[in-house]
């Protein structure tokens, strides 16, 4: 896909996921989550070409400008959207699938100091509520929802709902509205 095609896809994803979005121009110019993603694509390309210092330096400038830290080694899928964004941290070995949405204050972080895979893998279509922490080399299955302020340290199957500290997974019920989980940290199972 061309660069212009990816940008158009990102703008469409933002319009789909943010009811406050008024126009593509507004999104392109004023959404720091998109700026961080677009910059990450550049830094990730440099990282893959083994220009590691330049990639890390660029990612730090992006962090300073947007308040969003995405390590250039992280793998990010298509139509990824970060709403608001301040305080989002995505670690080096994190893998994020397509159509994923994160709210502000989310951490996709590690729990160990050893080299190798130490950050989470997030499946396609996952939504992660504000302040949630997803820690360690775990896998969150496709179409799962992680509630606000949840602390997730274990794998979860697809179509799960994860809430609490530590988060416990339960299956989604057919037709269940999960929007409250993303906004209400007091919601527990």
């Amino acid at each position: 896909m061309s660069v212009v095609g990816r940008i158009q896809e990102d703008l469409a994803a933002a319009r789909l996921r943010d009811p406050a979005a008024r126009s593509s121009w507004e999104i392109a110019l004023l959404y720091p989550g998109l700026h961080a993603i677009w910059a990450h694509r550049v830094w990730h390309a440099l990282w893959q070409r083994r220009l590691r210092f330049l990639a890390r330096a660029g990612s730090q400038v992006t962090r300073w400008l947007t308040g969003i830290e995405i390590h250039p080694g992280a793998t990010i899928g298509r139509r990824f959207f970060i709403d608001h964004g301040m305080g989002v941290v995505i670690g080096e070995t994190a893998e994020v699938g397509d159509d994923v949405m994160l709210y502000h204050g989310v951490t996709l972080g590690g729990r160990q100091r050893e080299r190798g895979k130490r950050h989470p893998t997030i499946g396609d279509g996952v939504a992660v509520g504000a302040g949630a922490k997803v820690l360690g080399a775990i896998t969150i299955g496709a179409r799962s929802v992680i509630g606000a302020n949840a602390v997730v340290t274990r794998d979860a199957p697809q179509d799960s709902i994860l809430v609490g500290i530590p988060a416990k997974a339960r299956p989604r019920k057919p037709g269940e509205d999960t929007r409250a989980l993303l906004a209400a940290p007091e919601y527990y199972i």
Side-chain angles (χ1 to χ4, degrees), residues 169-188:
R170 72 161 172 83
R172 288 174 86 165
K173 297 172 186 153
E176 182 174 17
D177 183 5
T178 56
R179 288 175 292 182
L181 297 171
L182 299 172
E186 67 279 356
Y187 187 99
Y188 293 99

Side-chain angles (χ1 to χ4, degrees), residues 17 79-81 95-103 106 108 121-129 134 139-147 152 156-162 172 178 182:
R17 292 185 179 94
R79 297 173 303 276
F80 177 55
F81 181 62
E95 298 172 47
V96 178
D98 296 337
D99 303 303
V100 171
M101 180 174 176
L102 305 182
Y103 286 90
V106 168
L108 304 181
T121 298
I122 307 296
D124 295 343
V126 172
V128 185
V134 186
T139 300
I140 305 301
R143 298 173 308 280
S144 293
V145 175
I146 299 173
V152 184
Q158 65 183 26
D159 296 308
S160 293
I161 293 177
L162 297 109
R172 288 174 86 165
T178 56
L182 299 172

Side-chain angles (χ1 to χ4, degrees), residues 37-52 55 59 70-76 92 94:
I37 293 163
W38 291 340
H40 170 74
R41 290 186 185 138
V42 173
W43 311 137
H44 185 68
L46 293 175
W47 185 265
Q48 290 182 315
R49 289 172 179 78
R50 303 221 177 265
L51 297 169
R52 304 270 164 99
S59 73
I70 306 174
H71 191 285
T75 303
I76 306 290
E92 177 183 7

Side-chain angles (χ1 to χ4, degrees), residues 107-124:
T107 298
L108 304 181
R111 294 188 336 171
Q112 60 196 35
R113 291 182 164 197
E114 291 81 35
R115 292 188 181 269
K117 178 74 169 150
R118 59 192 184 282
H119 299 97
T121 298
I122 307 296
D124 295 343

